Every structure is written in structure tokens, then in C-alpha cells.
Amino acid sequence: MRIWISERELSVTFDVVVLGAGAAGLMAAATAGRGGARVLVLDHGSEPGRKILISGGGRCNFTHLETGPNCFLSQNKHFARSALARYTPRDFVKLVDRYQIAWHEKAKGQLFCDGSARQIVDMLVSECQDAGCEARMETRITDVEADADGFVVRTDAGDVRSRSVILATGGLSIPKLGATDLSLRIARSFGLKIVPTAPALVPLVLDDADPSLAGVSLDVVTTCGKKGPRFADGMVFTHRGLSGPAILQISSYLEAGGTAHIDLMPGRNALEVLLAIKKARPRALPPSLLEALPARLAKELAAGLGDVMLANQPDKNIKALAERLSRWEVRPSGTEGYAKAEVMRGGIDTSSLSSQTMEVRDVPGLYAIGEAVDVTGWLGGHNFQWAWSSGVAAGQAAAARV
């Protein structure tokens, strides 16, 4: 993929201009190029795939084998179904295997590179190169306008004309990597609605966070609302609140001022466990009730029972502690924000888009994909799969317009 092209070349007309050299953008570019389109990728960053490189601890959790529409948040819960069905996790795995990139299943369905996430970036760049795509990095995009022949993309290096434009600049998460609201601004300029955005898959901040618990971790189950999903995974206390996979997952469902519930003893009847310990060890002190929990957390939770031996603890006190263990109510004061959020929730309203092609219904030739769209996945590779699937859908449709 040619990263630098001349000012003269930049002024020519392309079939497809992809804004953003991230996961969705590179996938869309390669797909459109293979479909016979002349493709240009534009990005203000210095290298492609920056978010891919830091994902999964540097090993890129590139998909989840059990991805489905139920693994995404959106005002239209069925919107992702078509794209996900037409380009599946198995399809992406075939691509990874073709490049002989070794991978492993870390947890059920979650696939990671054995080596570096850079392998995935190099694969996507190679796909773009083989498809004849051109690219220009370190190019600031200022606006997109429609004209009689398609679109004019205005940049600090000159204007580019194109029959189609694919918005793939991502969302607001991880601003240190150059995240901007460009796709949202361009969408608004064409009259598209924007679902209110917020950090998602993000640590929670608690007003009453206890710094002495920082670093304590355990397996929990998190829930939010009566009909919300349940996430069984790890949780870790931080100096400012809570993090870990189970917390990141539930954070996507929490509205400002909302409440999450955490089961600190999942799979067990907390009251039966505590009463059994009281009977078996009547002369023990309250922290002994919570021997299944990390010692620092047990001491904190049992503090309200004082130094009274278990034999002298009223059962109502034991019951109250059990209820807290089974349904600890957490009302965060906020989150750690976009700086530590894995993704952005909300975005371009899917009611404006075709679920089959990602094309804006009222603006032929304009497409929106990836994180910029109101489709937010669970933790574990679902968001990358949405990038691949939506990128393929838009790339195929844009090439078909040539």
C-alpha cells in the first residue's frame, strides 16, 4: 500500500474514498478494491491500524466465534444481523489462516493472535495493496460535500473527488490515538441523526471507592435492570472504583445515575454458606464468614459486624450481609471516560442506513461503518467482527456502483 502519493495524484477522481485507516476502513478499502474500484484511503494519523495494535494487550482479540446481533447494543437491535450473517467470524478466520497467522482461543469464542497484533494490521495492509488501493496518511480531512458527480473530500493537501465515500473514522474512544468526531460531524452535515454518544466498555468511578482495596480481584456476575444481560467474569477494584471484564461489559448498559448489581458469590447461595460457617465455627470472628473472598475484601465487608464472635451474631445480621454479597448495589458517579473506554456507545442512527449495504438511504454513495455507527459490541472481539462485517458490506456495495 503506497502511504505517500503526490499532490497531483491527490487531485484525481477515485471510485471510492475511505475516510479512516482503522479496522473497518481497511477492510472496506480492500473489499472495494477487489471489486474493481479505484480506492483511496485517507487518515490523519501516521500509520494505519493504530487501535488494532493496542487491542487485546497487543495480541488483538480479532473476533468472537459466537458473535450475533444479541451481542450488540443499538436502537435497532436487528440492524447488525444482515452484515454479520454475510461475513462471519469463520470468514475472517479463513483470511487469518491464509496469511498463516497463528491464533488461539483464550476464552470461549475469543480469538487472539499468538504473536503480535501487528500481524493483523500487516495482513489488512497487504490486502489493500493486492487490491490496488492507494493511501495517504497524515492528511487532515476537513469536510465532505456532495456534487453532481458524487462527492468532494476536502483535505489540507487538496480536494479529492469520488463517486462514493465511506465514513470509517471510528468514534471518540482512546483520544490519545487520534480519535475524533469527524464521521459524526460529516453525518450531521448530511442531515443524519446521531444517537447520543457515551464511553462504553469503560471502568466505573465510585464516590466511596476504598483505595485500600485497589488491586483486589475476583469473579462476579454483573447485571443492570430486570431484563438486562448477565455478565459472569472477573472484576478488579481500582483506586477510583471498579474495572475488569464484568464491569466493562455492564458499563455499556449503564445510563448516568443508573445502578448496577454485582453478585460477589456467583453460583452459591450466600445465606446458606454464611449460616453453615457460623454453625461450624461459632468462636470465629466475622471475616471468617467470607473466607471464599479475597482477605482484604472480606475484612472490609465484615467490618459492620464488629469483633463479635459468630455464635453471638444475630441471624438478621448474617442475612443482611448475605444479601449484600448476592446483590451488591453499585451506583457509579461516572466513568473513566473516553480515555480508558474501549469503544463509543451511540453514533450514526441506523435508521438512516441500509442494513445490507451500510449506505445512507437519502445520500446515494455515502456509507457509514464500524464504531461511528450506533452498533456497540460486547467485550471479546465482537466490535472487531462488526468492523470486518460492516466494512465488507460497504466495500462490496461501493464497488458495485462503479
Side-chain angles (χ1 to χ4, degrees):
M1 179 185 246
R2 289 188 296 159
I3 299 301
W4 299 110
I5 58 180
S6 72
E7 295 289 337
R8 181 184 63 80
E9 287 180 302
L10 191 59
S11 66
V12 303
T13 298
F14 289 83
D15 297 317
V16 181
V17 172
V18 179
L19 308 186
L26 293 175
M27 197 67 173
T31 303
R34 285 196 302 273
R38 186 178 182 189
V39 181
L40 172 67
V41 180
L42 295 174
D43 195 291
H44 70 160
S46 59
E47 63 176 328
R50 287 163 294 167
K51 199 168 182 180
I52 298 174
L53 292 174
I54 69 166
S55 66
R59 292 193 173 185
C60 188
N61 180 193
F62 56 80
T63 193
H64 196 297
L65 295 177
E66 297 181 1
T67 291
N70 61 305
C71 302
F72 295 85
L73 290 78
S74 175
Q75 288 198 337
N76 179 354
K77 62 182 181 180
H78 301 295
F79 181 81
R81 185 181 302 278
S82 177
L84 292 172
R86 286 184 293 122
Y87 190 84
T88 69
R90 298 292 181 184
D91 291 321
F92 192 76
V93 170
K94 288 180 183 178
L95 178 62
V96 171
D97 287 344
R98 181 154 59 84
Y99 278 80
Q100 298 183 341
I101 297 173
W103 54 268
H104 62 278
E105 188 172 1
K106 185 175 180 179
K108 186 178 181 182
Q110 298 181 21
L111 305 190
F112 288 76
C113 296
D114 285 357
S116 168
R118 185 166 292 281
Q119 294 174 289
I120 299 296
V121 176
D122 290 345
M123 176 190 74
L124 294 170
V125 170
S126 292
E127 285 289 290
C128 288
Q129 286 177 326
D130 293 346
C133 302
E134 299 181 24
R136 186 179 181 111
M137 306 301 294
E138 297 185 314
T139 301
R140 188 170 68 88
I141 304 153
T142 58
D143 199 7
V144 175
E145 300 172 4
D147 68 6
D149 299 319
F151 301 90
V152 178
V153 180
R154 305 200 183 279
T155 80
D156 60 357
D159 295 346
V160 185
R161 296 186 178 276
S162 177
R163 293 184 178 88
S164 297
V165 171
I166 300 177
L167 305 179
T169 60
L172 299 171
S173 61
I174 318 182
K176 69 180 181 180
L177 295 182
T180 73
D181 64 346
L182 179 63
S183 287
L184 304 183
R185 285 189 279 115
I186 293 173
R188 286 192 184 98
S189 74
F190 282 95
L192 278 62
K193 295 180 180 179
I194 304 297
V195 175
T197 60
L201 299 180
V202 62
L204 302 177
V205 173
L206 306 179
D207 281 339
D208 59 351
D210 184 349
S212 70
L213 293 178
V216 171
S217 63
L218 68 161
D219 290 333
V220 301
V221 170
T222 55
T223 57
C224 178
K226 294 181 179 179
K227 297 183 179 180
R230 301 172 72 257
F231 296 108
D233 215 319
M235 179 183 79
V236 60
F237 288 83
T238 69
H239 284 90
R240 288 167 47 85
L242 300 171
S243 188
I247 296 299
L248 300 187
Q249 295 276 40
I250 207 65
S251 72
S252 297
Y253 290 84
L254 275 173
E255 300 295 340
T259 300
H261 292 95
I262 304 175
D263 185 350
L264 298 171
M265 295 182 67
R268 289 171 287 181
N269 184 310
L271 182 58
E272 289 182 0
V273 170
L274 300 193
L275 290 177
I277 293 174
K278 176 184 177 181
K279 182 178 180 180
R281 302 170 62 187
R283 299 181 63 82
L285 294 177
S288 298
L289 289 169
L290 308 175
E291 58 187 8
L293 300 181
R296 276 189 285 164
L297 178 59
K299 183 178 179 181
E300 177 66 24
L301 291 172
L305 300 180
D307 292 327
V308 179
M309 290 190 303
L310 299 185
N312 297 325
Q313 292 285 350
D315 283 353
K316 68 176 182 179
N317 290 356
I318 305 296
K319 183 178 180 180
L321 178 58
E323 289 177 351
R324 187 182 184 194
L325 292 172
S326 300
R327 193 174 171 80
W328 180 31
E329 187 173 283
V330 174
R331 184 169 295 173
S333 57
T335 73
E336 293 286 2
Y338 286 115
K340 293 188 178 181
E342 303 229 354
V343 292
M344 177 187 78
R345 185 178 68 187
I348 299 171
D349 196 325
T350 58
S351 65
S352 305
L353 309 175
S354 163
S355 62
Q356 294 187 338
T357 65
M358 304 295 122
E359 187 174 24
V360 178
R361 298 182 188 279
D362 297 331
V363 189
L366 182 64
Y367 303 81
I369 59 177
E371 190 180 347
V373 178
D374 176 34
V375 176
T376 305
W378 292 352
L379 195 68
H382 301 286
N383 286 292
F384 271 130
Q385 186 57 45
W386 170 243
W388 317 137
S389 298
S390 62
V392 166
Q396 289 176 341
R401 298 186 78 249
V402 176

